[in-house]
Amino acid sequence: VLLVPLLMLFFFVRNVVYEKKHQMDSWMGGGMRMFGEIDCFEFRIAGFNIQHNDKTYFMNFSTIPEFKDDAINLKILPKNDRLEKVLHKVKHQTWYYDETAGAFYLNTKNKTTDFAIPSSAITGIMVYRVDFENETNKVQLKLLNEITANGH
């Protein structure tokens, strides 16, 4: 007789823990948005940092066609193993900096006239959530998870 309520309580607690501690939105936590705040992957940003000329640049995966699927997967479930896999993929690509345009790009056309970026310049990969702070009335980025390039 108590089995059903205890089972429901177990899943409720599990879903809250997944949503709060494992960087899952309330849907992926299993709560079907009943117990969590509004957080869907459309409000998330995934990308990586590049160090160049004493500055840090953030590259949004959603703007790189070759990484669109990775962007979606990271935004839905930003687990460490996914971040590490994509970081490995990013570091093993050939990236260039176009000084005229002031932009980085993935070399898919074997263009070699621009400045090549060494893989050591890629310092980490991260996933943010866009939050609106009611107290300050401002939009801010909240870091959900990140992996640094140490050891890669």
Side-chain angles (χ1 to χ4, degrees):
V1 177
L2 290 175
L3 181 63
V4 172
L6 288 175
L7 204 56
M8 288 177 64
L9 181 64
F10 167 76
F11 283 107
F12 170 77
V13 171
R14 183 199 70 149
N15 294 344
V16 171
V17 168
Y18 280 168
E19 194 255 335
K20 297 295 181 193
K21 300 290 182 194
H22 295 287
Q23 296 89 33
M24 294 184 183
D25 73 10
S26 56
W27 182 264
M28 291 299 293
M32 295 174 278
R33 302 218 186 273
M34 295 186 310
F35 312 117
E37 60 193 40
I38 295 175
D39 176 25
C40 58
F41 77 91
E42 288 91 357
F43 297 131
R44 293 182 176 191
I45 299 168
F48 61 97
N49 283 340
I50 294 180
Q51 293 281 332
H52 181 65
N53 290 339
D54 298 323
K55 294 181 184 175
T56 301
Y57 298 87
F58 181 79
M59 295 289 295
N60 186 340
F61 284 127
S62 296
T63 64
I64 307 167
E66 294 80 6
F67 284 88
K68 290 236 185 225
D69 290 339
D70 295 307
I72 291 170
N73 290 333
L74 288 174
K75 290 191 282 186
I76 290 174
L77 191 59
K79 295 183 348 177
N80 285 355
D81 58 336
R82 281 190 180 184
L83 271 77
E84 288 174 359
K85 181 180 174 184
V86 176
L87 179 61
H88 180 77
K89 181 178 173 182
V90 168
K91 288 179 79 64
H92 286 85
Q93 299 290 327
T94 305
W95 297 93
Y96 286 90
Y97 180 69
D98 181 345
E99 293 198 27
T100 306
F104 295 91
Y105 64 92
L106 181 60
N107 189 15
T108 56
K109 298 178 180 119
N110 294 323
K111 182 179 173 186
T112 57
T113 58
D114 293 326
F115 181 76
I117 302 297
S119 65
S120 61
I122 298 166
T123 60
I125 186 172
M126 57 282 308
V127 179
Y128 294 98
R129 181 175 71 199
V130 178
D131 270 348
F132 178 76
E133 295 291 331
N134 288 326
E135 299 82 28
T136 61
N137 220 16
K138 293 182 180 179
V139 175
Q140 298 178 336
L141 294 178
K142 178 183 177 188
L143 181 65
L144 295 178
N145 200 3
E146 89 177 308
I147 297 288
T148 59
N150 298 340
H152 288 275

